[in-house]
């Protein structure tokens, strides 16, 4: 406990961090809210003395744009598909790792490597894995001369190569690639959290179940999952928050066009929509979109917290 007469020293030590927090976190948030409610806000125009009407016009414009609706749909779809899949797979892998003694630390390190690797670099690797390079033949059809490892595996088992990410590829083929990548990229953190939770569980529960001859499936559903429910709630909430902010993974695979050649912005997300508005000086619309994204994340998080109160056992 710091003596009341010496508290000024504590505030002095905290002052640099507080100043940085105010300048680079608190003020940008306040300014974003301000710009969102200034209709047609433009940074260059305001320097020239222009004034802007206060209202919700930016929100109305953003919601009316087809590009924003597409971005919202893509974001929601990726969240709904990737969060449950990655959480379930992370739980299974964490349980398996917890039951393996030899090479456990080595396997943990291997599974955690994607978390500390640059997402853009990983996206480029995935793009090469799903890529198809073709050459136009004399009959007007593409002749595949090089294929990524995924299509090579498909051909090895007798299937036909699939156009996953190149020009002419379907929307659902693109979504499939993104789901595989996002799930793979989200697994390390979730495995780490769930594995830590498993290792802190009292082994007496499992010993009692073993004495009673309880089947493994019932042990998993009646002991493991309930005891891990706080960690599961945490990874689900953070998974949705991260999913709604998805952007870099799509850029890593499809580049700045956010879609295959010939279909730019097909896979654009809300964060991508905000970034697209900034170079056009549409700061008001970008701020409005950011607040809409914040509201969506807030509502989803509150719903998850309410569900957690009934499902989580501490």
């Amino acid at each position: 406990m710091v003596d009341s007469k010496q508290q000024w020293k504590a505030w002095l030590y905290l002052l640099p961090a507080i100043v940085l927090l105010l300048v680079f976190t608190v003020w940008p948030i306040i300014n974003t809210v301000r710009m969102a409610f200034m209709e047609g806000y433009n940074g260059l125009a305001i320097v020239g003395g222009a004034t802007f009407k206060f209202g919700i016009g930016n929100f109305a414009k953003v919601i009316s744009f087809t590009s924003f609706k597409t971005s919202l749909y893509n974001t929601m779809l990726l969240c709904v598909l990737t969060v449950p899949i990655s959480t379930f797979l992370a739980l299974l892998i964490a349980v398996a790792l917890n039951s393996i003694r030899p090479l456990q630390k080595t396997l943990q390190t291997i599974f955690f490597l994607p978390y500390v690797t640059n997402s853009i670099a990983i996206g480029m690797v995935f793009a090469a894995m799903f890529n198809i390079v073709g050459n136009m033949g004399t009959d007007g059809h593409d002749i595949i001369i090089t294929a990524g490892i995924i299509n090579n595996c498909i051909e090895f088992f007798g299937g036909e190569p699939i156009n996953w990410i190149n020009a002419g590829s379907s929307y659902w083929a693109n979504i499939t690639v993104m789901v595989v990548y996002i799930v793979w990229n989200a697994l390390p953190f979730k495995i780490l959290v769930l594995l830590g939770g498993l290792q802190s569980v009292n082994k007496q529960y499992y010993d009692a179940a073993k004495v009673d001859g309880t089947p493994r499936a019932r042990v998993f559903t009646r002991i493991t999952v309930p005891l891990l429910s706080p960690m599961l709630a945490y990874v689900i909430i953070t998974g949705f928050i991260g999913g709604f902010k998805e952007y870099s993974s799509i850029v890593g695979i499809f580049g700045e066009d956010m879609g295959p050649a010939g279909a730019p912005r097909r896979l654009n997300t809300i964060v991508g929509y905000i970034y697209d508005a900034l170079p056009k000086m549409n700061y008001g619309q970008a701020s409005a979109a950011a607040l809409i994204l914040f509201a969506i994340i807030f509502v989803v998080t509150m719903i998850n917290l309410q569900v957690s109160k009934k499902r989580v056992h501490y």
Side-chain angles (χ1 to χ4, degrees):
M1 189 71 178
V2 180
D3 183 66
S4 58
K5 296 181 179 180
Q6 302 296 325
Q7 283 188 4
W8 67 271
K9 291 184 178 180
W11 284 109
L12 183 63
Y13 297 146
L14 287 173
L15 185 61
I18 293 174
V19 170
L20 290 174
L21 189 66
L22 290 173
V23 173
F24 294 104
T25 301
V26 177
W27 167 244
I29 293 174
I30 296 173
N31 197 38
T32 298
V33 176
R34 181 180 69 89
M35 290 189 296
F37 288 96
M38 296 176 69
E39 298 185 3
Y41 180 87
N42 186 295
L44 294 178
I46 202 170
V47 172
T51 58
F52 302 95
K53 179 182 176 182
F54 184 85
I56 60 172
N58 289 326
F59 294 91
K61 281 184 179 181
V62 168
I63 295 174
S64 66
F65 290 150
T66 303
S67 57
F68 178 79
K69 295 176 183 177
T70 301
S71 302
L72 178 61
Y73 175 79
N74 290 335
T75 304
M76 297 287 289
L77 180 63
L78 289 174
C79 281
V80 170
L81 291 176
T82 58
V83 174
I85 295 174
S86 60
T87 303
F88 180 70
L89 289 177
L91 179 59
L92 294 181
I93 294 172
V95 171
L97 281 175
N98 192 51
S99 62
I100 296 173
R101 295 304 173 193
L103 301 177
Q104 186 183 74
K105 298 298 182 183
T106 303
L107 291 173
Q108 285 180 230
T109 303
I110 293 173
F111 275 107
F112 193 68
L113 281 176
Y115 189 72
V116 295
T117 306
N118 184 274
S119 58
I120 299 295
I122 297 175
M124 295 173 66
V125 173
F126 266 75
M129 290 170 59
F130 285 93
N131 196 21
I132 292 178
V133 180
N135 191 23
M136 189 63 69
T138 56
D139 57 354
H141 297 285
D142 279 342
I143 301 173
I144 297 172
I145 56 175
T146 306
I149 188 172
I150 302 300
N151 277 317
N152 284 334
C153 292
I154 294 174
E155 286 183 303
F156 179 79
F157 290 103
E160 292 292 327
I162 298 174
N163 187 358
W164 296 104
I165 61 174
N166 297 85
S169 58
S170 68
Y171 174 79
W172 288 106
N174 301 158
I175 287 293
T176 300
V177 175
M178 291 313 310
V179 168
V180 172
Y181 169 64
I182 294 172
V183 168
W184 182 83
N185 199 32
L187 281 177
F189 176 73
K190 294 183 178 182
I191 291 172
L192 184 70
V193 173
L194 295 176
L195 186 59
L198 279 170
Q199 292 176 345
S200 64
V201 170
N202 193 327
K203 299 298 185 288
Q204 291 181 353
Y205 295 107
Y206 295 105
D207 294 338
K210 188 181 295 184
V211 170
D212 292 339
T214 308
R216 289 188 177 182
R218 191 169 181 83
V219 171
F220 179 77
T221 57
R222 296 297 183 179
I223 297 179
T224 302
V225 173
L227 291 176
L228 279 181
S229 55
M231 292 77 179
L232 286 170
Y234 173 74
V235 297
I236 289 172
I237 291 172
T238 55
F240 273 108
I241 293 174
F244 278 111
K245 297 190 295 182
E246 199 64 60
Y247 173 74
S248 59
S249 59
I250 301 172
V251 173
I253 292 179
F254 292 97
E256 294 182 359
D257 287 341
M258 302 287 284
R265 326 317 291 176
R266 174 191 278 178
L267 296 177
N268 203 7
T269 60
I270 298 180
V271 174
Y273 177 87
I274 295 170
Y275 286 155
D276 288 342
L278 294 179
K280 302 174 184 176
M281 300 299 174
N282 294 329
Y283 297 140
Q285 295 176 23
S287 300
L291 289 187
I292 293 173
L293 176 60
F294 169 78
I296 293 172
I297 293 175
F298 180 80
V299 170
V300 172
T301 303
M302 289 299 103
I303 292 173
N304 279 322
L305 289 176
Q306 289 300 318
V307 173
S308 299
K309 289 181 179 179
K310 299 179 180 180
R311 300 292 182 182
V312 173
H313 306 279
Y314 292 98

